[in-house]
Amino acid sequence: MRTAAHPDVPQIMLPGQAAAAPGPLDMSNMYLAHFGFRRDLGHLITAVGRVRLDDRRRVTALREHHAWVLFVLHHHHTAEDETVWPRLRERAPESIGTIDALEAEHESCDRWIRESTEAFQAFDAGPSEQGRERLMAALRALADTLGAHLAHEETDGIPLMMAHIPPEEDAEMHKAITKQYGLRKLIMLLGWITSELPADVEAHLRRTSPRPLLLLSALARGPHRRRMAYLWG
């Protein structure tokens, strides 16, 4: 199955993004999530390096935000593992090597997801300089490992999706993922993925997003900005 009969749609390009492959799928949600992972892991590394050891409230808030980022990442990777890669394996057997590599990169990320979670829990329970060093090393490793995977996905994985997954099927997958969040977490997600966007991307989303999502994003924007202002200092 190939999707060449469908017209290309405009794609967004965000800071840190490796590529924006042409094709019939609107990959905005994918690119926004990737931007969010890159952005917030960078912020977390900086904030952990600066937070006072006696500021227990902020340490806990940073750990909770790290857990939120990993919650979104879990849904992101699970959707790929359960719905995207199996379809591509069936439809693009000539690209099995690329698909195997992308799946293996998820497993490489899992190591640093576990380590950063354990290190953050220990740092929250008893902040120390030694604990800070362990946590920052884990966060940097996660940012590097995940960043390399996201770039690989943007360069080689998304073109496969463009070629072998039709827009109607992609839309159904997005609906299924959205339902898993529930309304409260969906509002949080919208605040998160629309944070710190370049002006041209914000304008593109205002033109192309369904009105209900725009309204929910507006509802989420203020609380999210206040929360991030506190976290990042």
Side-chain angles (χ1 to χ4, degrees):
M1 178 185 296
R2 296 189 66 85
T3 63
H6 296 273
D8 289 353
V9 299
Q11 304 295 328
I12 60 175
M13 191 76 186
L14 288 155
Q17 191 174 314
L25 309 182
D26 182 353
M27 301 304 297
S28 296
N29 288 338
M30 178 82 79
Y31 293 137
L32 289 168
H34 287 193
F35 176 65
F37 300 138
R38 291 174 169 123
R39 178 196 65 219
D40 280 18
L41 286 173
H43 283 325
L44 282 165
I45 291 167
T46 299
V48 167
R50 293 176 178 173
V51 67
R52 297 194 323 271
L53 296 181
D54 61 352
D55 192 348
R56 302 297 294 272
R57 182 169 173 265
R58 190 155 171 252
V59 168
T60 296
L62 289 169
R63 178 188 57 75
E64 290 172 346
H65 188 68
H66 173 261
W68 162 256
V69 173
L70 295 188
F71 171 80
V72 179
L73 180 60
H74 171 75
H75 277 274
H76 185 79
H77 279 180
T78 299
E80 292 171 349
D81 289 339
E82 294 182 353
T83 63
V84 176
W85 308 144
R87 284 172 168 84
L88 294 181
R89 282 186 177 281
E90 177 184 342
R91 300 169 190 175
E94 73 283 359
S95 299
I96 289 297
T98 296
I99 300 164
D100 284 345
L102 289 166
E103 284 191 315
E105 288 161 10
H106 282 190
E107 295 179 8
S108 297
C109 291
D110 287 344
R111 173 191 173 186
W112 297 111
I113 288 169
R114 289 191 298 270
E115 170 60 16
S116 63
T117 298
E118 292 171 4
F120 231 136
Q121 289 171 343
F123 186 60
D124 189 16
S128 67
E129 289 301 337
Q130 183 178 6
R132 189 200 305 271
E133 290 175 8
R134 175 193 174 193
L135 175 55
M136 290 185 69
L139 289 172
R140 288 191 186 105
L142 175 57
D144 290 345
T145 305
L146 179 60
H149 166 67
L150 299 179
H152 188 192
E153 192 168 84
E154 290 159 358
T155 303
D156 296 330
I158 288 175
L160 288 175
M161 295 175 64
M162 290 292 195
H164 297 285
I165 296 179
E168 299 80 8
E169 192 173 332
D170 182 64
E172 287 302 314
M173 288 192 290
H174 279 297
K175 285 181 184 177
I177 294 169
T178 300
K179 287 180 181 178
Q180 294 173 8
Y181 277 88
L183 181 59
R184 179 174 171 273
K185 284 190 170 63
L186 177 60
I187 293 172
M188 291 175 62
L189 178 68
L190 289 170
W192 181 75
I193 64 173
T194 57
S195 179
E196 301 181 38
L197 298 179
D200 64 317
V201 174
E202 286 192 345
H204 173 83
L205 295 177
R206 283 194 297 271
R207 290 192 305 269
T208 60
S209 299
R211 183 169 175 76
L213 286 183
L214 290 175
L215 293 173
L216 288 175
S217 295
L219 180 66
R221 188 173 298 119
H224 183 81
R225 284 179 177 172
R226 289 191 291 273
R227 178 69 170 170
M228 295 307 101
Y230 169 68
L231 283 179
W232 312 141

